[in-house]
Amino acid sequence: MSALTDLAAQIPAAVDRLAGIAGRTPVQLNARLTRATGSEIWLKREDLQPVRSYKLRGAYNLMAQLSDDEKGAGVVCASAGNHGQGVAFSAAALGIQATVVVPHTTPRQKRQRILEIGHGHIDLVLHGASYDDASDEAARLAAQGKVLVPAFNDERTAAGQATLLVEAFEQLGFVPDVVVLPVGGGGLIAGAAAWLRTAHPEVRIIGVEPEGAPCVAAAISAGRPVVLHDIDTFVDGAAVKRVGDFTFEVIREARVELVRVPEGQVCSEMLDLYQTDGIIAEPAGALAAAALPTGGVGPRVQIPTGSRVLVLLSGGNNDVSRYAEVVERSLIHEGRKRYFLVDFPQQPGALRMFLDSVLGPEDDITYFEYVKRNNKETGPALVGVELGNPGDYPFLLQRIDECGMTAQEVAYDSPFFQFLV
């Protein structure tokens, strides 16, 4: 029996095990995405789980199967935040003591929720700068006698995650043409693909990875799991350096279609979900929807008009303090926000001349600071400009040149840019 068929065989029992434990979250037709794509876009709202993500499904399915001795020894897990909340929920429900290891980059809101949900059953440990750093520490603690609860690289976890898809198909009452899912370490996509390939092989499966952490795509290209270096941890729920060995084998066997989207594109979708749909989504929660063909800037999946599409909105654990960065990344991705080093004349009225001669009627300066003051005739200033229309960018450069100033754009991939965003 292959890894895929073995995993698929475990999903019906996981459905029964989670009955009455996981919330039966709604599947909703999204009017905005439906209009933008010309297809029916149905959102599976796992952000409405008690822990605001689907992660409790896998954690509970695994922990409920532990022996009494294993439960007595306690469990340990590594998490970017959501898996830790799932383990905390399951620990409280099953009366198990759990140690949750999270990287220092985990938002405060997620850390607080882990402790609150665990109701005294949680020891929270901060370790490292990424999920993989936390995973190494969790493995060390597991070697001392605790039972490891993997976030993705375990068939029990993957089978539990897949139950959301079984539930969604029952709620829809029809089989969709396409299923779009976010991808981190591969637990969800492995479980979902195993079930779909055996129960509904005609359904197209699309996995969406963040551009800054495409560990599954890298593994497929290399033919084996590989470690990524210098990943972008913004989409923290899916920012994994290395896909699991088990999940990789299932994903490769299922021939899942993969797409990568830039983090700024995810931010734009987060803002649309919030401002138009009234949905608070974390970055990983908006990841799948960000790949839909809505006509925005950036790479999108190709879906025939008129298709019926099920999209997972995987989580809503977003720290409100992150929205300033979300807006900034979105503006930069859409070409509305630009930063320049401008050589300004060091004389009264220079800034006013820039405002009058360079900016268009709908443009605005959002940042201005002299980088270095000196006794020369000109000096560099760091200027942030927000364009009313991204298409006006060439005309902005032309007006800067015509007014006699020199300007050098600060590139997004420049180390200097990291001080701005």
Side-chain angles (χ1 to χ4, degrees), residues 267-334:
C267 291
S268 295
E269 179 58 27
M270 287 176 67
L271 293 174
D272 286 340
L273 284 165
Y274 178 69
Q275 294 171 336
T276 304
D277 305 324
I279 296 173
I280 297 174
E282 63 185 277
L287 182 59
L292 294 176
T294 56
V297 178
R300 310 276 173 166
V301 296
Q302 298 301 311
I303 297 175
T305 301
S307 299
R308 295 189 294 187
V309 184
L310 177 65
V311 179
L312 176 62
L313 204 159
S314 62
N317 286 301
N318 193 48
D319 192 329
V320 67
S321 66
R322 302 183 76 190
Y323 268 107
E325 182 183 2
V326 170
V327 172
E328 181 84 353
R329 282 179 176 257
S330 173
L331 289 171
I332 291 168
H333 172 72
E334 295 175 0

Short mmCIF file of all heavy atoms in Angstrom, two decimals, residues 267-334:
data_model
loop_
_atom_site.label_atom_id
_atom_site.label_comp_id
_atom_site.label_asym_id
_atom_site.label_seq_id
_atom_site.Cartn_x
_atom_site.Cartn_y
_atom_site.Cartn_z
N CYS A 267 -0.84 40.22 1.19
CA CYS A 267 -1.27 41.39 1.95
C CYS A 267 -2.45 42.09 1.29
O CYS A 267 -3.39 42.52 1.96
CB CYS A 267 -0.11 42.37 2.12
SG CYS A 267 1.20 41.77 3.21
N SER A 268 -2.42 42.22 -0.03
CA SER A 268 -3.53 42.85 -0.74
C SER A 268 -4.81 42.07 -0.54
O SER A 268 -5.89 42.65 -0.35
CB SER A 268 -3.20 42.97 -2.24
OG SER A 268 -2.12 43.84 -2.47
N GLU A 269 -4.72 40.74 -0.56
CA GLU A 269 -5.90 39.91 -0.34
C GLU A 269 -6.38 40.02 1.11
O GLU A 269 -7.59 40.07 1.36
CB GLU A 269 -5.60 38.46 -0.69
CG GLU A 269 -6.77 37.50 -0.47
CD GLU A 269 -8.02 37.86 -1.26
OE1 GLU A 269 -7.90 38.50 -2.33
OE2 GLU A 269 -9.12 37.50 -0.81
N MET A 270 -5.46 40.10 2.05
CA MET A 270 -5.86 40.29 3.45
C MET A 270 -6.68 41.57 3.61
O MET A 270 -7.69 41.60 4.31
CB MET A 270 -4.62 40.39 4.34
CG MET A 270 -3.89 39.09 4.57
SD MET A 270 -2.38 39.34 5.56
CE MET A 270 -3.09 39.81 7.15
N LEU A 271 -6.23 42.64 2.95
CA LEU A 271 -6.94 43.92 3.05
C LEU A 271 -8.30 43.85 2.37
O LEU A 271 -9.28 44.42 2.87
CB LEU A 271 -6.09 45.03 2.44
CG LEU A 271 -4.78 45.34 3.19
CD1 LEU A 271 -3.94 46.34 2.42
CD2 LEU A 271 -5.08 45.86 4.59
N ASP A 272 -8.40 43.17 1.23
CA ASP A 272 -9.69 43.01 0.55
C ASP A 272 -10.65 42.19 1.41
O ASP A 272 -11.85 42.51 1.51
CB ASP A 272 -9.50 42.35 -0.81
CG ASP A 272 -8.91 43.29 -1.85
OD1 ASP A 272 -9.00 44.51 -1.65
OD2 ASP A 272 -8.36 42.79 -2.85
N LEU A 273 -10.14 41.13 2.01
CA LEU A 273 -10.99 40.32 2.89
C LEU A 273 -11.52 41.17 4.05
O LEU A 273 -12.69 41.06 4.42
CB LEU A 273 -10.19 39.14 3.44
CG LEU A 273 -9.95 37.97 2.48
CD1 LEU A 273 -8.85 37.05 3.01
CD2 LEU A 273 -11.24 37.18 2.25
N TYR A 274 -10.66 42.00 4.60
CA TYR A 274 -11.06 42.82 5.75
C TYR A 274 -12.01 43.95 5.34
O TYR A 274 -13.07 44.15 5.93
CB TYR A 274 -9.81 43.39 6.42
CG TYR A 274 -10.09 44.29 7.59
CD1 TYR A 274 -10.61 43.78 8.78
CD2 TYR A 274 -9.84 45.66 7.52
CE1 TYR A 274 -10.87 44.60 9.86
CE2 TYR A 274 -10.10 46.48 8.59
CZ TYR A 274 -10.62 45.95 9.76
OH TYR A 274 -10.88 46.78 10.82
N GLN A 275 -11.61 44.71 4.31
CA GLN A 275 -12.34 45.93 3.96
C GLN A 275 -13.65 45.64 3.23
O GLN A 275 -14.63 46.37 3.41
CB GLN A 275 -11.45 46.84 3.12
CG GLN A 275 -10.25 47.37 3.89
CD GLN A 275 -9.25 48.10 3.00
OE1 GLN A 275 -9.18 47.86 1.78
NE2 GLN A 275 -8.47 48.99 3.58
N THR A 276 -13.68 44.61 2.40
CA THR A 276 -14.87 44.30 1.61
C THR A 276 -15.73 43.22 2.23
O THR A 276 -16.96 43.33 2.28
CB THR A 276 -14.48 43.88 0.18
OG1 THR A 276 -13.69 44.91 -0.42
CG2 THR A 276 -15.71 43.64 -0.67
N ASP A 277 -15.09 42.16 2.72
CA ASP A 277 -15.83 41.00 3.21
C ASP A 277 -16.02 40.97 4.72
O ASP A 277 -16.77 40.16 5.24
CB ASP A 277 -15.13 39.71 2.78
CG ASP A 277 -14.90 39.64 1.28
OD1 ASP A 277 -15.76 40.13 0.53
OD2 ASP A 277 -13.85 39.11 0.87
N GLY A 278 -15.32 41.86 5.42
CA GLY A 278 -15.42 41.87 6.88
C GLY A 278 -14.81 40.64 7.52
O GLY A 278 -15.25 40.20 8.59
N ILE A 279 -13.76 40.08 6.90
CA ILE A 279 -13.11 38.87 7.41
C ILE A 279 -11.69 39.21 7.85
O ILE A 279 -10.91 39.77 7.07
CB ILE A 279 -13.06 37.77 6.33
CG1 ILE A 279 -14.46 37.32 5.94
CG2 ILE A 279 -12.23 36.57 6.81
CD1 ILE A 279 -14.50 36.36 4.76
N ILE A 280 -11.35 38.87 9.08
CA ILE A 280 -9.99 39.06 9.56
C ILE A 280 -9.22 37.78 9.29
O ILE A 280 -9.48 36.75 9.91
CB ILE A 280 -9.97 39.39 11.06
CG1 ILE A 280 -10.69 40.71 11.33
CG2 ILE A 280 -8.53 39.45 11.58
CD1 ILE A 280 -10.83 41.05 12.80
N ALA A 281 -8.29 37.84 8.36
CA ALA A 281 -7.49 36.67 8.00
C ALA A 281 -6.04 36.94 8.32
O ALA A 281 -5.54 38.06 8.12
CB ALA A 281 -7.64 36.36 6.51
N GLU A 282 -5.35 35.94 8.83
CA GLU A 282 -3.91 36.04 8.99
C GLU A 282 -3.26 35.82 7.62
O GLU A 282 -3.94 35.40 6.67
CB GLU A 282 -3.42 35.01 9.99
CG GLU A 282 -3.64 33.57 9.58
CD GLU A 282 -3.24 32.61 10.68
OE1 GLU A 282 -2.03 32.32 10.76
OE2 GLU A 282 -4.11 32.16 11.45
N PRO A 283 -1.95 36.09 7.47
CA PRO A 283 -1.32 35.91 6.16
C PRO A 283 -1.52 34.52 5.57
O PRO A 283 -1.91 34.39 4.40
CB PRO A 283 0.16 36.20 6.45
CG PRO A 283 0.12 37.19 7.57
CD PRO A 283 -1.03 36.75 8.43
N ALA A 284 -1.28 33.45 6.34
CA ALA A 284 -1.49 32.10 5.82
C ALA A 284 -2.96 31.84 5.52
O ALA A 284 -3.30 31.06 4.63
CB ALA A 284 -0.96 31.06 6.81
N GLY A 285 -3.85 32.51 6.25
CA GLY A 285 -5.29 32.35 6.01
C GLY A 285 -5.72 32.89 4.67
O GLY A 285 -6.65 32.37 4.05
N ALA A 286 -5.06 33.96 4.21
CA ALA A 286 -5.40 34.58 2.93
C ALA A 286 -4.58 34.02 1.77
O ALA A 286 -4.79 34.41 0.62
CB ALA A 286 -5.19 36.09 3.01
N LEU A 287 -3.65 33.12 2.07
CA LEU A 287 -2.69 32.64 1.06
C LEU A 287 -3.37 31.99 -0.13
O LEU A 287 -3.04 32.29 -1.29
CB LEU A 287 -1.71 31.67 1.72
CG LEU A 287 -0.60 31.08 0.87
CD1 LEU A 287 0.27 32.18 0.27
CD2 LEU A 287 0.26 30.13 1.71
N ALA A 288 -4.32 31.10 0.10
CA ALA A 288 -4.97 30.40 -1.02
C ALA A 288 -5.78 31.36 -1.89
O ALA A 288 -5.70 31.32 -3.12
CB ALA A 288 -5.86 29.28 -0.48
N ALA A 289 -6.55 32.23 -1.26
CA ALA A 289 -7.38 33.17 -2.02
C ALA A 289 -6.53 34.15 -2.82
O ALA A 289 -6.95 34.64 -3.87
CB ALA A 289 -8.30 33.94 -1.07
N ALA A 290 -5.32 34.44 -2.33
CA ALA A 290 -4.44 35.39 -3.03
C ALA A 290 -4.00 34.89 -4.39
O ALA A 290 -3.55 35.67 -5.23
CB ALA A 290 -3.21 35.69 -2.17
N ALA A 291 -4.12 33.59 -4.63
CA ALA A 291 -3.70 33.02 -5.92
C ALA A 291 -4.80 33.01 -6.97
O ALA A 291 -4.56 32.65 -8.11
CB ALA A 291 -3.19 31.59 -5.71
N LEU A 292 -6.01 33.41 -6.60
CA LEU A 292 -7.12 33.36 -7.55
C LEU A 292 -6.96 34.40 -8.65
O LEU A 292 -6.39 35.48 -8.44
CB LEU A 292 -8.45 33.59 -6.81
CG LEU A 292 -8.84 32.51 -5.80
CD1 LEU A 292 -10.11 32.91 -5.06
CD2 LEU A 292 -9.04 31.17 -6.51
N PRO A 293 -7.50 34.13 -9.85
CA PRO A 293 -7.34 35.04 -10.99
C PRO A 293 -8.27 36.24 -10.91
O PRO A 293 -9.26 36.33 -11.65
CB PRO A 293 -7.67 34.14 -12.19
CG PRO A 293 -8.64 33.14 -11.64
CD PRO A 293 -8.20 32.88 -10.23
N THR A 294 -7.95 37.17 -10.02
CA THR A 294 -8.80 38.34 -9.81
C THR A 294 -8.36 39.56 -10.61
O THR A 294 -8.95 40.63 -10.49
CB THR A 294 -8.83 38.71 -8.32
OG1 THR A 294 -7.48 38.92 -7.85
CG2 THR A 294 -9.48 37.61 -7.49
N GLY A 295 -7.31 39.41 -11.41
CA GLY A 295 -6.87 40.51 -12.25
C GLY A 295 -5.90 41.46 -11.57
O GLY A 295 -5.50 42.46 -12.16
N GLY A 296 -5.47 41.17 -10.36
CA GLY A 296 -4.54 42.03 -9.66
C GLY A 296 -3.12 41.84 -10.16
O GLY A 296 -2.84 41.09 -11.10
N VAL A 297 -2.19 42.54 -9.47
CA VAL A 297 -0.77 42.43 -9.82
C VAL A 297 -0.22 41.12 -9.28
O VAL A 297 -0.54 40.72 -8.17
CB VAL A 297 -0.01 43.62 -9.19
CG1 VAL A 297 1.49 43.51 -9.49
CG2 VAL A 297 -0.56 44.93 -9.71
N GLY A 298 0.62 40.44 -10.06
CA GLY A 298 1.31 39.26 -9.57
C GLY A 298 0.80 37.97 -10.17
O GLY A 298 -0.23 37.93 -10.86
N PRO A 299 1.50 36.85 -9.92
CA PRO A 299 1.14 35.54 -10.50
C PRO A 299 -0.18 35.02 -9.96
O PRO A 299 -0.49 35.18 -8.79
CB PRO A 299 2.31 34.64 -10.07
CG PRO A 299 2.87 35.30 -8.86
CD PRO A 299 2.69 36.76 -9.06
N ARG A 300 -0.96 34.41 -10.83
CA ARG A 300 -2.26 33.84 -10.45
C ARG A 300 -2.43 32.48 -11.12
O ARG A 300 -1.85 32.21 -12.18
CB ARG A 300 -3.41 34.75 -10.91
CG ARG A 300 -3.25 36.22 -10.53
CD ARG A 300 -3.74 36.50 -9.14
NE ARG A 300 -3.42 37.88 -8.74
CZ ARG A 300 -3.95 38.49 -7.70
NH1 ARG A 300 -4.82 37.86 -6.94
NH2 ARG A 300 -3.59 39.72 -7.38
N VAL A 301 -3.25 31.63 -10.52
CA VAL A 301 -3.57 30.36 -11.17
C VAL A 301 -4.58 30.62 -12.29
O VAL A 301 -5.33 31.59 -12.24
CB VAL A 301 -4.16 29.35 -10.16
CG1 VAL A 301 -3.14 28.99 -9.10
CG2 VAL A 301 -5.43 29.88 -9.51
N GLN A 302 -4.57 29.76 -13.27
CA GLN A 302 -5.51 29.87 -14.38
C GLN A 302 -6.68 28.92 -14.11
O GLN A 302 -6.50 27.72 -14.02
CB GLN A 302 -4.82 29.52 -15.70
CG GLN A 302 -3.67 30.45 -16.06
CD GLN A 302 -4.13 31.91 -16.17
OE1 GLN A 302 -5.12 32.21 -16.84
NE2 GLN A 302 -3.41 32.80 -15.51
N ILE A 303 -7.87 29.49 -13.97
CA ILE A 303 -9.08 28.72 -13.71
C ILE A 303 -10.12 29.08 -14.76
O ILE A 303 -10.44 30.26 -14.93
CB ILE A 303 -9.64 29.01 -12.30
CG1 ILE A 303 -8.61 28.57 -11.23
CG2 ILE A 303 -10.97 28.31 -12.08
CD1 ILE A 303 -9.01 28.94 -9.83
N PRO A 304 -10.65 28.10 -15.49
CA PRO A 304 -11.65 28.42 -16.53
C PRO A 304 -12.86 29.14 -15.94
O PRO A 304 -13.34 28.81 -14.85
CB PRO A 304 -12.04 27.02 -17.04
CG PRO A 304 -10.89 26.15 -16.73
CD PRO A 304 -10.33 26.67 -15.44
N THR A 305 -13.34 30.14 -16.65
CA THR A 305 -14.52 30.88 -16.23
C THR A 305 -15.70 29.92 -16.06
O THR A 305 -15.90 29.01 -16.86
CB THR A 305 -14.87 31.95 -17.27
OG1 THR A 305 -13.77 32.85 -17.42
CG2 THR A 305 -16.09 32.75 -16.84
N GLY A 306 -16.46 30.13 -15.00
CA GLY A 306 -17.60 29.29 -14.74
C GLY A 306 -17.32 28.10 -13.86
O GLY A 306 -18.22 27.30 -13.57
N SER A 307 -16.07 27.96 -13.43
CA SER A 307 -15.71 26.83 -12.56
C SER A 307 -16.32 27.01 -11.17
O SER A 307 -16.60 28.13 -10.74
CB SER A 307 -14.19 26.72 -12.43
OG SER A 307 -13.57 26.49 -13.67
N ARG A 308 -16.47 25.91 -10.48
CA ARG A 308 -16.88 25.95 -9.07
C ARG A 308 -15.65 25.61 -8.24
O ARG A 308 -15.09 24.52 -8.37
CB ARG A 308 -18.03 24.98 -8.82
CG ARG A 308 -19.30 25.38 -9.57
CD ARG A 308 -20.51 24.56 -9.16
NE ARG A 308 -20.39 23.16 -9.55
CZ ARG A 308 -21.39 22.27 -9.42
NH1 ARG A 308 -22.56 22.65 -8.93
NH2 ARG A 308 -21.22 21.01 -9.80
N VAL A 309 -15.25 26.55 -7.40
CA VAL A 309 -13.95 26.48 -6.73
C VAL A 309 -14.12 26.55 -5.22
O VAL A 309 -14.79 27.46 -4.70
CB VAL A 309 -13.03 27.63 -7.19
CG1 VAL A 309 -11.63 27.50 -6.57
CG2 VAL A 309 -12.94 27.69 -8.72
N LEU A 310 -13.52 25.60 -4.52
CA LEU A 310 -13.50 25.62 -3.06
C LEU A 310 -12.14 26.11 -2.60
O LEU A 310 -11.10 25.56 -2.99
CB LEU A 310 -13.77 24.21 -2.50
CG LEU A 310 -13.71 24.07 -0.98
CD1 LEU A 310 -14.82 24.87 -0.31
CD2 LEU A 310 -13.77 22.61 -0.56
N VAL A 311 -12.13 27.15 -1.78
CA VAL A 311 -10.89 27.77 -1.30
C VAL A 311 -10.88 27.73 0.22
O VAL A 311 -11.87 28.11 0.86
CB VAL A 311 -10.78 29.23 -1.80
CG1 VAL A 311 -9.50 29.88 -1.28
CG2 VAL A 311 -10.83 29.29 -3.32
N LEU A 312 -9.77 27.33 0.79
CA LEU A 312 -9.66 27.31 2.25
C LEU A 312 -9.17 28.64 2.77
O LEU A 312 -8.10 29.11 2.39
CB LEU A 312 -8.70 26.20 2.70
CG LEU A 312 -8.44 26.16 4.22
CD1 LEU A 312 -9.73 25.90 4.98
CD2 LEU A 312 -7.38 25.13 4.56
N LEU A 313 -9.96 29.24 3.66
CA LEU A 313 -9.50 30.36 4.46
C LEU A 313 -9.06 29.74 5.78
O LEU A 313 -9.87 29.42 6.63
CB LEU A 313 -10.62 31.39 4.66
CG LEU A 313 -10.17 32.82 4.95
CD1 LEU A 313 -11.27 33.80 4.63
CD2 LEU A 313 -9.74 32.96 6.40
N SER A 314 -7.76 29.54 5.92
CA SER A 314 -7.25 28.59 6.90
C SER A 314 -7.11 29.13 8.32
O SER A 314 -7.03 28.34 9.26
CB SER A 314 -5.89 28.05 6.45
OG SER A 314 -4.94 29.10 6.35
N GLY A 315 -7.05 30.45 8.49
CA GLY A 315 -6.86 30.95 9.84
C GLY A 315 -7.10 32.44 9.98
O GLY A 315 -6.94 33.20 9.01
N GLY A 316 -7.45 32.86 11.18
CA GLY A 316 -7.73 34.28 11.45
C GLY A 316 -7.00 34.81 12.66
O GLY A 316 -7.45 35.78 13.29
N ASN A 317 -5.85 34.22 12.99
CA ASN A 317 -5.08 34.68 14.15
C ASN A 317 -4.10 35.77 13.73
O ASN A 317 -2.89 35.57 13.71
CB ASN A 317 -4.33 33.50 14.78
CG ASN A 317 -5.26 32.58 15.54
OD1 ASN A 317 -5.93 33.00 16.46
ND2 ASN A 317 -5.31 31.32 15.13
N ASN A 318 -4.63 36.94 13.42
CA ASN A 318 -3.78 38.04 12.98
C ASN A 318 -3.68 39.09 14.08
O ASN A 318 -4.69 39.52 14.64
CB ASN A 318 -4.34 38.69 11.71
CG ASN A 318 -3.33 39.61 11.06
OD1 ASN A 318 -2.17 39.24 10.90
ND2 ASN A 318 -3.74 40.81 10.70
N ASP A 319 -2.46 39.47 14.37
CA ASP A 319 -2.21 40.51 15.37
C ASP A 319 -2.50 41.87 14.73
O ASP A 319 -1.95 42.21 13.68
CB ASP A 319 -0.74 40.43 15.82
CG ASP A 319 -0.46 41.26 17.05
OD1 ASP A 319 -1.13 42.31 17.21
OD2 ASP A 319 0.43 40.89 17.83
N VAL A 320 -3.35 42.66 15.35
CA VAL A 320 -3.75 43.95 14.78
C VAL A 320 -2.56 44.86 14.56
O VAL A 320 -2.56 45.71 13.65
CB VAL A 320 -4.82 44.63 15.67
CG1 VAL A 320 -4.22 45.05 17.01
CG2 VAL A 320 -5.45 45.83 14.96
N SER A 321 -1.50 44.69 15.35
CA SER A 321 -0.32 45.54 15.21
C SER A 321 0.41 45.29 13.89
O SER A 321 1.25 46.10 13.48
CB SER A 321 0.64 45.33 16.38
OG SER A 321 1.18 44.02 16.37
N ARG A 322 0.10 44.19 13.20
CA ARG A 322 0.77 43.88 11.94
C ARG A 322 0.14 44.58 10.74
O ARG A 322 0.71 44.54 9.64
CB ARG A 322 0.74 42.36 11.68
CG ARG A 322 1.39 41.52 12.76
CD ARG A 322 1.38 40.05 12.40
NE ARG A 322 2.40 39.74 11.41
CZ ARG A 322 2.49 38.57 10.79
NH1 ARG A 322 1.60 37.62 11.02
NH2 ARG A 322 3.43 38.36 9.89
N TYR A 323 -1.01 45.20 10.92
CA TYR A 323 -1.70 45.76 9.76
C TYR A 323 -0.94 46.90 9.10
O TYR A 323 -1.06 47.13 7.89
CB TYR A 323 -3.12 46.20 10.13
CG TYR A 323 -4.14 45.10 9.89
CD1 TYR A 323 -4.71 44.42 10.95
CD2 TYR A 323 -4.48 44.72 8.61
CE1 TYR A 323 -5.63 43.39 10.73
CE2 TYR A 323 -5.38 43.70 8.37
CZ TYR A 323 -5.96 43.03 9.44
OH TYR A 323 -6.84 42.01 9.22
N ALA A 324 -0.13 47.64 9.85
CA ALA A 324 0.67 48.70 9.23
C ALA A 324 1.64 48.09 8.21
O ALA A 324 1.80 48.61 7.10
CB ALA A 324 1.44 49.48 10.30
N GLU A 325 2.28 46.98 8.58
CA GLU A 325 3.17 46.30 7.65
C GLU A 325 2.39 45.67 6.50
O GLU A 325 2.85 45.66 5.36
CB GLU A 325 3.97 45.21 8.37
CG GLU A 325 4.96 44.51 7.46
CD GLU A 325 5.72 43.38 8.14
OE1 GLU A 325 5.45 43.12 9.33
OE2 GLU A 325 6.57 42.76 7.48
N VAL A 326 1.19 45.16 6.78
CA VAL A 326 0.35 44.58 5.73
C VAL A 326 0.04 45.63 4.67
O VAL A 326 0.16 45.38 3.46
CB VAL A 326 -0.95 44.01 6.33
CG1 VAL A 326 -1.93 43.63 5.23
CG2 VAL A 326 -0.65 42.80 7.20
N VAL A 327 -0.37 46.82 5.11
CA VAL A 327 -0.69 47.90 4.17
C VAL A 327 0.54 48.30 3.36
O VAL A 327 0.49 48.48 2.14
CB VAL A 327 -1.25 49.12 4.93
CG1 VAL A 327 -1.40 50.32 4.00
CG2 VAL A 327 -2.60 48.77 5.56
N GLU A 328 1.69 48.43 4.05
CA GLU A 328 2.92 48.83 3.37
C GLU A 328 3.32 47.81 2.30
O GLU A 328 3.62 48.17 1.16
CB GLU A 328 4.04 48.96 4.41
CG GLU A 328 5.38 49.41 3.85
CD GLU A 328 5.50 50.91 3.69
OE1 GLU A 328 4.49 51.61 3.90
OE2 GLU A 328 6.59 51.39 3.35
N ARG A 329 3.32 46.54 2.65
CA ARG A 329 3.70 45.51 1.68
C ARG A 329 2.73 45.47 0.50
O ARG A 329 3.14 45.23 -0.64
CB ARG A 329 3.75 44.14 2.37
CG ARG A 329 5.01 43.90 3.21
CD ARG A 329 4.93 42.53 3.87
NE ARG A 329 6.12 42.18 4.61
CZ ARG A 329 7.07 41.32 4.19
NH1 ARG A 329 6.94 40.74 3.01
NH2 ARG A 329 8.11 41.04 4.92
N SER A 330 1.45 45.68 0.77
CA SER A 330 0.46 45.68 -0.30
C SER A 330 0.71 46.84 -1.27
O SER A 330 0.69 46.65 -2.49
CB SER A 330 -0.95 45.79 0.30
OG SER A 330 -1.91 45.96 -0.71
N LEU A 331 0.93 48.03 -0.73
CA LEU A 331 1.17 49.20 -1.58
C LEU A 331 2.42 49.01 -2.45
O LEU A 331 2.42 49.37 -3.63
CB LEU A 331 1.32 50.45 -0.72
CG LEU A 331 0.05 50.96 -0.04
CD1 LEU A 331 0.39 52.05 0.96
CD2 LEU A 331 -0.95 51.48 -1.06
N ILE A 332 3.47 48.46 -1.87
CA ILE A 332 4.70 48.25 -2.63
C ILE A 332 4.48 47.20 -3.72
O ILE A 332 4.92 47.37 -4.87
CB ILE A 332 5.84 47.82 -1.68
CG1 ILE A 332 6.22 48.99 -0.78
CG2 ILE A 332 7.05 47.33 -2.46
CD1 ILE A 332 7.11 48.61 0.38
N HIS A 333 3.78 46.13 -3.38
CA HIS A 333 3.51 45.08 -4.37
C HIS A 333 2.70 45.61 -5.55
O HIS A 333 2.97 45.25 -6.71
CB HIS A 333 2.75 43.94 -3.70
CG HIS A 333 2.26 42.90 -4.65
ND1 HIS A 333 3.10 42.00 -5.28
CD2 HIS A 333 1.00 42.62 -5.11
CE1 HIS A 333 2.39 41.23 -6.08
NE2 HIS A 333 1.12 41.57 -6.00
N GLU A 334 1.74 46.48 -5.27
CA GLU A 334 0.89 47.02 -6.33
C GLU A 334 1.53 48.18 -7.08
O GLU A 334 0.94 48.72 -8.01
CB GLU A 334 -0.44 47.47 -5.72
CG GLU A 334 -1.25 46.31 -5.16
CD GLU A 334 -2.52 46.76 -4.46
OE1 GLU A 334 -2.76 48.00 -4.41
OE2 GLU A 334 -3.26 45.90 -3.97
#
